[in-house]
Amino acid sequence: AAIPALNRIGIGPVGLFRMAEGESTDVYVLLPHRSAESLLTMTEKLGEDAEFLEAGAQFLGAPKDDPAYQRFESSLLLAFDGHPKLAVPSKKDSRLFQLRIYESRNMERAQKKIEMFNAGGEIEIFHRTGLNPVFFGEAIVGSKLPNLTYMVGFDDQAAMDAGWAKFRADPGWLKLKDDPQYKDTVSNITNLVLRPVACSQI
């Protein structure tokens, strides 16, 4: 019900993912907004969409003793200059995605890591080595601040392993990672391997 309604108000493609392995019931939703107004008016517009309200009635009106979900958490990300638009790298049924969060110990180091991706050329290296970026975003609101968050996509597990192996051996990356100006820009990395659910548009 939600994805068609979101598309009707200009939000899309919508990504919907679960962990590739394990028993987690968490769902990860990616909503690309073209403007701040799109984000600020989304709930109001969905509430005015009769088709959405009817199609999603069972979920939206779930009773207290059988809730549709426990709680959700959101992050607002600002797209990088070097990758301003979301990309859909693969539509194979076997596709996998990595959602990676790079935390920094302070804002200065966080901005330097973002510079490393943009001006430093790390995004270009991603493309060259088959890491297939979906998005790169600076976290403006959310948890684990300051951080940058990005997603890369692959046809399958073998392509993911091959892409990272090629990246780690790339001469441009070997030079960039040893550049002293980018030292200690990342204090912690969260790496989630996700698989899209059937209705995902990414």
Side-chain angles (χ1 to χ4, degrees):
I3 291 177
L6 289 163
N7 291 166
R8 286 195 291 273
I9 58 176
I11 299 171
V14 175
L16 195 64
F17 311 91
R18 291 187 183 274
M19 294 293 291
E21 297 181 355
E23 301 299 322
S24 173
T25 59
D26 291 346
V27 176
Y28 296 84
V29 182
L30 176 59
L31 302 177
H33 292 273
R34 292 171 176 80
S35 67
E37 181 183 8
S38 170
L39 172 64
L40 294 172
T41 60
M42 178 182 69
T43 301
E44 178 183 0
K45 288 179 178 178
L46 289 175
E48 295 172 348
D49 186 327
E51 185 176 347
F52 166 67
L53 296 176
E54 180 179 357
Q58 185 175 359
F59 183 93
L60 296 169
K64 183 173 65 174
D65 59 354
D66 187 21
Y69 57 88
Q70 292 180 340
R71 193 63 60 204
F72 66 84
E73 181 179 298
S74 296
S75 295
L76 175 62
L77 307 174
L78 180 65
F80 283 14
D81 291 341
H83 198 276
K85 292 186 178 181
L86 183 145
V88 182
S90 174
K91 290 296 287 184
K92 289 191 174 183
D93 291 342
S94 59
R95 68 193 186 278
L96 289 173
F97 295 86
Q98 283 180 288
L99 182 67
R100 295 171 61 86
I101 303 170
Y102 288 5
E103 301 169 48
S104 299
R105 70 176 191 271
N106 59 42
M107 290 300 297
E108 186 275 335
R109 289 289 85 188
Q111 291 300 311
K112 203 66 179 176
K113 182 58 182 177
I114 292 171
E115 178 189 302
M116 187 176 178
F117 274 103
N118 284 320
E122 191 168 351
I123 292 176
E124 180 182 339
I125 298 170
F126 271 46
H127 283 287
R128 184 167 69 237
T129 58
L131 294 187
N132 306 316
V134 178
F135 73 84
F136 293 92
E138 175 185 358
I140 305 300
V141 177
S143 61
K144 302 179 180 180
L145 298 175
N147 80 68
L148 66 86
T149 301
Y150 69 86
M151 177 178 275
V152 287
F154 306 92
D155 285 347
D156 50 34
Q157 181 71 48
M160 183 169 74
D161 294 341
W164 282 111
K166 189 174 181 181
F167 174 83
R168 287 189 293 268
D170 185 86
W173 168 244
L174 295 175
K175 180 180 179 181
L176 185 62
K177 75 181 182 68
D178 289 333
D179 190 328
Q181 67 176 314
Y182 299 127
K183 184 179 180 181
D184 298 329
T185 53
V186 178
S187 58
N188 188 60
I189 295 176
T190 299
N191 178 50
L192 304 177
V193 180
L194 305 175
R195 194 177 302 281
V197 302
C199 62
S200 179
Q201 296 176 325
I202 296 173

